[in-house]
Amino acid sequence: MKNFLKIYAAFIAICCCSCQKDLLNTIPNDRITSDVFWKREKDAVIAANALYTFLDSTSQLHRDVFTDIAHTNTQYGDYKAMETGSYNALSPVVEGEWTNDYKGIHGANYFLENIDKVPATDPEVITHLKGEVRTIRAYLYNNLVFLYGSVPLITKSLTIEEAQNVTQTSADEIRDFIYSELNAAVDELPVEASEPGRITKGAALAVNARAMLFAKRYDQAAALAKAVMDLGVYSLYPSYKDLFSYVAENNNEVILDKQFVKNVYPNDVMELFAPFSIMSNGVVMVPLKKVVDAYQMTNGKNIDESGSGFDPFNPYANRDPRLQYSVFVPGDQLPTGGTFDSRPNSGAVDAAGSNYQVSVTGFDVKKYVNAEDASDLANCGINIILIRYAEILLTYAEAKIEMNDIDASVYSAINEVRQRADVNMPAIADPQTQDELRKTVRHERMIELAFEGQRFFDIRRWGNATDVLNQPIEGLTYDNGGTLTTVVQPAFVRSFLQRDYLWPIPQKELELNKNLTQNEGW
Amino acid sequence: MKFILPASSDSCCLPTFIKWMGSGKKAAYILLLMQLLCISAYSQNKVSGVVRDSKGESISGVSIKLKEVAGGTTSDQNGKYLISIPANAVLVFSIIGYLPQEVRVSGRTTIDVVMASTATSLDEVTVVGYGTQKKTSLTSAVADIKGEELNRRSVADVQQSLQGLTPGVTVIDGGGGPGKSEVSIRVRGVTTLSGNDPLVIIDGIEQPLKDIDPADIETLTVLKDAASTAIYGSRAANGVVLVTTKRGKGNKLSVNLNSYFAEQKAIFHPKQIGMEDYMHLQNVAYTNAGAPAPFPEDLIQTWVTSTDRVKYPLVNDWINVMFSPALQQNHTLSISGGSEKIKTLLSVNHFDQDGVIPNSHAERNSIRLNTDFKVSNRINLSGDFNYRIKDYRSPTREQTAIKYMWASSNFAVPRYPDGTYGLSSDGISPLVEAELRGLSHFKDNYGAVNLKGDIQLLKGLKFLTQFGLTFGGLNQKIFTNAYEIRDFYDKSIIRQQVTTNSLTESRDYTQQSTLNNLLTYETSLGEHAFTALAGYSQVAFKYNTLSATRKDFYNNEVQSISQGSLGSRANDGFESAWGLRSYFGRLNYNFAEKYFVEVNARYDGSSRFTGNNRYSFFPSVSGAWRISKEKFWGDLSNIADELKIRGSWGKTGNQSVGLYSYLETLAALDYNFGGTPVQGLYQATLANKDLTWETTTQSNIGVDASFLNGKFGITFDYYKKMTEGILLSLPIPLTLGLNAPPQNAGNVENKGWELAISHKSAINNFHYGMVFNISDVKNKITNLAGTGPYINNEFWVTTIQKEGLPINSFLGYKTLGMFQSQEEVDSYPTLFPGTKPGDLKYMDVDGDGVLNSSDMIPIGSNIPHFTFGLNMNFDYMNFDMNFFLQGVGKSQAMIGEWAGNVPWQSFVMDFQKDYWTPDHTDAKYPRPEAFADKDWVNADFWIVNSAYLKLKNIQLGYTLPSGLTQRAKIQRLRFYIAASNVFTISKVNKWGFDPEFNTSLRSYPQLRLRTVGLNLTF
């Protein structure tokens, strides 16, 4: 007993003497401090990799809910508020886009400031990375300038004080910056990517072509699109049906995409699009009647044109094949097996109006809805295409038409898109006036790029958003005991005013930087 | 099993009785029994006397009992008593408010007794930081609670028991399922925007209070003002809770068993609307939305009158399906005792709680061994060990299950005759969420080792050292099921399915070691008394966690991580550490127990900060004057026997900031190319090298008084607390492209007062004591460094942090009733297009003719005011009773989601029946409109007065007469019945919810327990 007590006393004595020297100097071993970074070539690669995450993903597709071809199916929340015009500068969507873009821009600035510290074993690797990062930064600026107009142009890391005093740069100057940056990137980038998904010369050209089209700098847009076409590495994928499925990943039509992989870096596109019967959750974004009606008959006529052969009781027969590849309509096969039936009187799980989670229009988006992802909806590995060759062809055509520089290449660019192997629509009428061609190319963009997020930009830059958006929410027209009934979402009033062509600058930003001015009407 | 009864037992019968119990021989038994009777019959004496207090006043109602033997009497109105007893008996005099006294009769026939009041008991000590102090010499605001007070309610979490017991300590009981109680303690208000929990020190080391066995607690002390907390420096800004656990006492062996069984029931029973009313209301709502009415009149009649509830399901009262009464039980067995050299206490506890919703359950087992060694007259050692393990489970989607009970679940058959789950017309069932979606299992381990030693170096000089190690970890196993629900009528239709199941397992480990070294010195010089304390303390904390996930298990039963698909495997983990090094001291001086001064200081260094900000200094000073000790007080002491005024000032800190905030670090942001994952790193957050502590400066003045010999007591405190340099992730311009680092900005002020009044007395055999306490605190953000406001939206409740407002004020629109006519709508701005008469009229606050977010104003706050408790104890003969009322005098809750957020099947509550129509314009509730959110944005209309008064607990106990129990060698046997949350008086009753319920509608509800229990002491 005595011994035990002695040992015990000794133990306590040891305890009181043990002063841990490093007690207050805990060093994190679960994160990298910046002072040990930028030491190896690999560090440059790692830093560039991170910036790809700032590219658009399903967020790009989701923007189409603010257009006349799609609609927010959720009853409440931020997207509905924006669709109904009851949003403001505090809107999380408005702030989220701004925040993400500037985060990516900071990352790019930080990269470009530090990249030269890295000892390069292969200077070409460094040059390529610079081009990739420059392209990402320009891509983000193109989003910003389109959505918010004049925004601060930030090209280096800032201190808090500097950031509180930056001023807006005119949209024009930002577009100049985008143009010159992407031109620089084109010089830095290779034609062929070292890994699928890495930014290439073609991607930089294509981002630039899109940006210049948005900027209405049609000559530059046409030239850039032409440069992409002339690279000779891109072509349309023969199957529109498979274009958004796993078999077509990284095909030659894809110029820029956001790469995903199941379990590791997945997206949730199924939760955005898949019919209720597949996911047992609320559908987020659904097609509207307008776009479904806009798909031509296989004879090239619109459904309301005489001689189109359109049968309202069998409305989906003999239509532009892209309809059945893009939209779930009653009678379609679901990727999980079973038949999609959204007719309100069908009693089926997807019946429109049966509950608040199914599509209110009776239509669901089919692009990117793949059987491989049906079991785990937030774990989709499918790449989301940001720019594909078809868009470049249509950009080329549109830019040339706007310049009134109409030649055979315009017709063939449009027809190339229409006559992809499994689409094979009749060629467009030839010749057409500039006005007619403008209509033609705009129609083609709506159909070809439906639900890919481009409609959002298109109706805004064409200036017809106020006309096409302030419309009731209409869906499926179905046989209701012999009469045709169109599904309408009651009590949903869309609102798009002149001010909505630009989003407001986030309130938070205005409060912290008194040098900024809010967009008109906000 | 043999029990040794106290050697001091002098009753003549008992030793023989015990002998018999040992021998078991029948003849002896009979003999002894006769002897026993004889003794009782022949040696009775009569004893009489008067009981007085220290001032010579007689005391009535004093219980006079024979020690260890049944029988007794009570002093009359003049303090007189008369009792017949055996010649050599020991009398025990007791009454609430006085120290019990034992008097050996020794053949006397007259015994007068003077009782000492406990209120003026100079020996009563209270636990303070790193020591104890006489209550009378306290100069600061300290509240102590006896362990027995914490054991009156049958609770899952001892923190719930603290509710209402002492002023200035607000306990918010947010419910919580078995094993997951959501209880928060706030000492003197909310001082900061994050990290408001008090520091909890159990037996000298920081430990969680949550899962400790209440029966192990001897005392719990709350240090409230800075004078008492400054000795804990950087972690003390939110107050300090000191817990002392029970230890072995005396030289005899004592066995205690405390057991109870309780039935739990949810007390959350909002009334849902009747079927016919609901259908009519829906018709109106749809018509108002411009949509066809969904329920034709004939269908309504068919539905209402139908007896086929499979085809025509009810508007379900899911409460009856989801909630069922559940059992809770708790058993603590403790054995304590020892010798001169070694004293020990062993206590084991088993707690078991079933959930009132399906698939929830918790079980906790704990063991404690506290041992003291007296090595010599100068050296004491102690070693304590505590280990507990808590197993609990709940539905993986518990919150959704509860949420769905209130929303979108109408017209569902919970389960069809063949067992198939039914879904509502919105495709929802809370039962599916609770039973089919998967179960989560948790295992929470916790251990604490606490070694202490002290040595008397010189007279008055003592050195004490303590080493404490706590360790533990939570194992989680979260499984989500794959399942499908087929249509009841057509089995080919899949109504709902989840095809991938998944398992996430995680393990974490926390270890905290504490070293305390203290040197104390006590001396006195005439009437001058000094004590001094110098101390050193260090705390080292380590944490790591590891988690793994896989999907696609063969079925929902095979729940081992290796059984998931290889392709889906993923893992994650991280670790962290922090350290704290502190030097502290205290100096007490008093003159003639009349004037007191105390000075505290602590110098803290933390690994969370760097450079010059690493160390910080937290001083405090306090003083007290016992006026009642002054000569001039003289005869006044007949009325007020104790009067003390106190004052204190001090600084404390809060270090609740993320680790390594001062370092510029890179965050992982991985990507992939062609399906091959690649590493990515990115600077996400700005570093802040200037980061330092939040500092709270608190001033306090207080009065302690006791009247009429301790019959009445009063304690009053007024304080002002200013917290500066609150750690905020102050927004930085978004164009910077980085997340904001925490910065020291922002001040919060709390001003409040606390009052406790106690009274104890007796009328004959009826003794009673009651303590009423009430407190209030006004909270205000005084500075946000020119930034803000910060607006936050969680579960449809928008809150704002803004200078001049209380923390987390509700932000919303002011309403001017409902629009009564189209002209009124046309002549006033509206928030929503399509606003019609019967919709809420939101006020155009800025008068700019447009309603938008700039018209949102602060419309209330959820900070409770005038929180109070009334604790009453009564005893009469062998009966005792506790009656505990608790409440909040002023409080608000926002119920916007409650009123509206139910996508298509909205308006499911009974109160919503009273809605606006052109014929019923003075309705309580606005015009219903399907698919619309016009009327339930955050607005003052949806702020309800959630002040309440609850009968929190009532307990009735009966102690068997000791004469009876002695025969079974039982010292004390008490049975009790109790009920908690017996009734609630509140304005929210009419909305059908409990004032303490979280309005997010996702929380496990508060419970009513009906308990039967026993306390047994051998």
Side-chain angles (χ1 to χ4, degrees), chain B residues 280-575:
Chain B
H280 283 132
L281 198 157
Q282 286 295 301
N283 283 348
V284 174
Y286 271 69
T287 311
N288 281 342
F295 300 106
E297 198 55 41
D298 54 334
L299 178 68
I300 294 180
Q301 286 320 312
T302 314
W303 212 297
V304 170
T305 54
S306 173
T307 51
D308 181 0
R309 290 299 169 208
V310 171
K311 196 169 173 200
Y312 298 102
L314 292 165
V315 177
N316 261 303
D317 190 357
W318 279 99
I319 293 168
N320 296 329
V321 177
M322 288 287 291
F323 285 157
S324 53
L327 184 72
Q328 176 173 317
Q329 50 177 312
N330 186 56
H331 311 282
T332 301
L333 179 74
S334 71
I335 302 169
S336 75
S339 65
E340 277 301 309
K341 294 278 181 197
I342 303 171
K343 289 185 172 44
T344 191
L345 176 138
L346 171 71
S347 133
V348 289
N349 170 249
H350 173 75
F351 171 81
D352 185 294
Q353 184 186 17
D354 245 335
V356 295
I357 65 165
N359 285 327
S360 53
H361 180 261
E363 182 184 323
R364 186 181 67 217
N365 292 298
S366 68
I367 182 166
R368 174 180 299 275
L369 182 65
N370 288 358
T371 307
D372 298 291
F373 305 95
K374 191 176 169 73
V375 179
S376 74
N377 282 336
R378 295 194 302 126
I379 300 175
N380 293 300
L381 298 176
S382 74
D384 299 351
F385 175 72
N386 177 217
Y387 186 77
R388 55 184 183 244
I389 184 160
K390 182 170 74 171
D391 274 292
Y392 56 104
R393 61 172 187 265
S394 62
T396 298
R397 300 199 1 137
E398 180 188 86
Q399 292 201 341
T400 318
I402 292 169
K403 173 72 202 300
Y404 282 175
M405 289 192 351
W406 318 117
S408 294
S409 301
N410 283 320
F411 299 111
V413 177
R415 290 185 96 155
Y416 285 101
D418 68 347
T420 309
Y421 286 90
L423 296 171
S424 77
S425 57
D426 274 4
I428 277 168
S429 157
L431 207 56
V432 167
E433 301 299 317
E435 294 186 344
L436 218 48
R437 285 280 195 166
L439 262 183
S440 294
H441 293 265
F442 307 88
K443 200 184 279 280
D444 199 349
N445 291 284
Y446 180 82
V449 175
N450 194 351
L451 307 175
K452 254 195 259 191
D454 64 66
I455 177 164
Q456 177 120 26
L457 298 170
L458 299 165
K459 186 173 181 295
L461 182 67
K462 214 179 209 185
F463 175 69
L464 186 146
T465 185
Q466 174 178 29
F467 175 74
L469 179 71
T470 64
F471 53 91
L474 180 67
N475 290 359
Q476 304 186 59
K477 210 166 172 181
I478 296 165
F479 200 87
T480 63
N481 284 357
Y483 68 93
E484 62 178 33
I485 298 169
R486 299 221 169 228
D487 192 272
F488 173 62
Y489 299 101
D490 180 354
K491 295 288 180 216
S492 71
I493 298 177
I494 297 171
R495 282 279 149 199
Q496 195 176 86
Q497 67 172 343
V498 173
T499 47
T500 297
N501 49 17
S502 72
L503 172 66
T504 297
E505 272 199 74
S506 71
R507 310 260 154 99
D508 66 7
Y509 177 73
T510 304
Q511 178 188 311
Q512 187 167 336
S513 63
T514 306
L515 174 69
N516 292 327
N517 288 323
L518 307 175
L519 204 55
T520 58
Y521 183 62
E522 256 185 79
T523 188
S524 58
L525 205 74
E527 291 196 298
H528 305 272
F530 300 89
T531 51
L533 164 87
Y536 168 78
S537 172
Q538 67 179 38
V539 180
F541 174 91
K542 278 181 196 163
Y543 173 82
N544 69 60
T545 179
L546 183 67
S547 70
T549 301
R550 286 202 197 182
K551 294 173 183 169
D552 307 315
F553 289 77
Y554 178 75
N555 60 29
N556 295 332
E557 279 69 51
V558 180
Q559 296 192 355
S560 175
I561 200 82
S562 64
Q563 298 303 304
S565 70
L566 271 182
S568 65
R569 66 185 165 177
N571 55 52
D572 199 5
F574 63 92
E575 49 189 77

Side-chain angles (χ1 to χ4, degrees), chain A residues 161-343:
Chain A
E161 291 69 35
E162 286 168 337
Q164 280 169 337
N165 290 295
V166 295
T167 54
Q168 278 143 303
T169 301
S170 76
D172 249 9
E173 282 172 73
I174 289 174
R175 287 176 174 133
D176 292 343
F177 174 77
I178 294 169
Y179 183 70
S180 68
E181 277 293 292
L182 287 169
N183 277 338
V186 165
D187 294 338
E188 290 167 334
L189 288 164
V191 173
E192 300 275 0
S194 57
E195 290 166 288
R198 279 211 180 268
I199 287 169
T200 57
K201 200 183 280 291
L205 287 168
V207 172
N208 211 359
R210 180 192 280 179
M212 293 306 109
L213 182 74
F214 289 3
K216 299 191 165 67
R217 297 180 184 180
Y218 296 117
D219 49 346
Q220 290 166 352
L224 289 159
K226 186 78 173 48
V228 176
M229 290 149 70
D230 290 346
L231 277 178
V233 292
Y234 301 110
S235 61
L236 295 183
Y237 188 69
S239 169
Y240 193 85
K241 176 173 183 268
D242 294 338
L243 188 53
F244 308 98
S245 68
Y246 282 92
V247 294
E249 281 194 327
N250 305 313
N251 74 72
N252 287 340
E253 183 169 346
V254 178
I255 300 174
L256 179 64
D257 63 0
K258 184 79 164 270
Q259 298 256 322
F260 290 97
V261 58
K262 261 182 191 289
N263 296 318
V264 177
Y265 192 73
N267 66 56
D268 58 356
V269 69
M270 289 292 278
E271 293 193 327
L272 198 61
F273 289 158
F276 177 68
S277 56
I278 293 181
M279 63 172 164
S280 304
N281 269 325
V283 184
V284 175
M285 171 172 152
V286 295
L288 287 168
K289 177 180 173 65
K290 172 168 177 171
V291 70
V292 174
D293 285 353
Y295 287 89
Q296 295 171 339
M297 302 300 289
T298 41
N299 57 19
K301 286 186 189 291
N302 294 327
I303 60 169
D304 53 359
E305 250 178 279
S306 62
S308 69
F310 177 70
D311 174 6
F313 287 93
N314 189 11
Y316 312 113
N318 304 319
R319 303 289 295 277
D320 182 334
R322 287 175 291 186
L323 172 60
Q324 66 176 82
Y325 304 146
S326 306
V327 182
F328 281 107
V329 296
D332 273 354
Q333 289 305 297
L334 288 162
T336 47
T339 304
F340 177 81
D341 191 350
S342 59
R343 290 169 302 143

Side-chain angles (χ1 to χ4, degrees), chain A residues 8 12 20 25 30 259 375, chain B residues 382 465 500 575 581 614 674:
Chain A
Y8 191 94
I12 284 176
Q20 287 167 263
N25 291 312
D30 61 350
Q259 298 256 322
S375 63
Chain B
S382 74
T465 185
T500 297
E575 49 189 77
R581 171 167 292 161
R614 176 155 280 173

